[in-house]
Amino acid sequence: MKFKSRKSVIWLLCAAASVCTGCGPGDKGYVNGRVTLDGNPVEKARVHFHPVGGGRMSQGVTGANGDFELRYTIDEKGALIGEHKVVISTGEPVLDDKTGREYFLPEVIPAKYNKNTTLTANVKAGNNPIDFELTSK
């Protein structure tokens, strides 16, 4: 590839660096909450926040009481500030600790919350407690 000016090369390198590094720490909010289905906590559900305007998604997994906490990266908690499409699913692959084999958990969450999600959430700076009270009907 041939560039006409040094300015073009610098601009291209800056653009590539911004894509590789993502957003800065001030662009995220801490997100936690609880997932219930028909009033009962959902364990081992994957909660994914997909930024509507583009960018890295954040995800978390619910514990026995349905509580989750989103992670932006392995080392960083939170989600990008702004509007998100939310996907909640239990039909994910799981590794059996004893056998080392992978199996799929049964999907107990209706498609309107995963494949055909209608869920959204707005993440702001600071703490964002966001609960999802799902229904099977």
Side-chain angles (χ1 to χ4, degrees), residues 57-75:
M57 90 166 169
S58 294
Q59 60 185 338
V61 179
T62 59
N65 58 359
D67 290 342
F68 71 92
E69 169 182 78
L70 291 185
R71 297 202 73 84
Y72 185 70
T73 66
I74 291 173
D75 300 322

Side-chain angles (χ1 to χ4, degrees), residues 48 83 112 122:
H48 296 181
E83 193 68 25
K112 66 182 176 180
N122 189 24

Side-chain angles (χ1 to χ4, degrees), residues 11-24 54-56 72-73 80:
W11 183 87
L12 181 64
L13 290 174
C14 288
S18 69
V19 168
C20 293
T21 58
C23 297
R56 183 185 188 99
Y72 185 70
T73 66
L80 291 177

Side-chain angles (χ1 to χ4, degrees), residues 1-5:
M1 185 183 306
K2 189 173 183 179
F3 296 97
K4 293 184 179 186
S5 72

Side-chain angles (χ1 to χ4, degrees), residues 15 25 28 33 36 45 55 57 59-60 75 83 97-98 104 112 115 118 128 135:
K28 287 174 276 315
T36 57
M57 90 166 169
Q59 60 185 338
D75 300 322
E83 193 68 25
D97 292 335
K98 294 179 183 175
F104 279 84
K112 66 182 176 180
K115 286 192 307 189
T118 58
N128 293 267
T135 59

